Amino acid sequence: MTDQHLNDKVINFRRMAAEYFQKAAWNQLLALDNYRENNFEVAERFAQLSFDDQMNAVEYAELADAESGLLLDLELLEES
């Protein structure tokens, strides 16, 4: 039961990280399009959104890594 709960948490964290990475990529593309059109204020806003989304994605990825580590530790304890 605990293992499945931790697996679900890892999957959820990885999914959230992927969603934020995807949002970051789209916002970066929008920033580049606006820079090309000389819409610098709008481009800067999209660049900031992209950065924020990247930071959120990294945070979720780190949470997933930490949960994976806990799951591995639990498995090792159960085997001993």
Side-chain angles (χ1 to χ4, degrees), residues 22-32 43 46-47 49-50 53:
Q22 186 177 29
K23 286 175 57 177
W26 277 113
N27 283 328
Q28 188 63 39
L29 288 172
L30 290 170
L32 293 171
F46 279 118
L49 287 172
S50 178
D53 288 336

Side-chain angles (χ1 to χ4, degrees), residues 10-24:
V10 169
I11 290 167
N12 188 48
F13 287 147
R14 296 240 185 264
R15 181 175 287 122
M16 292 299 296
E19 288 176 9
Y20 274 108
F21 278 126
Q22 186 177 29
K23 286 175 57 177

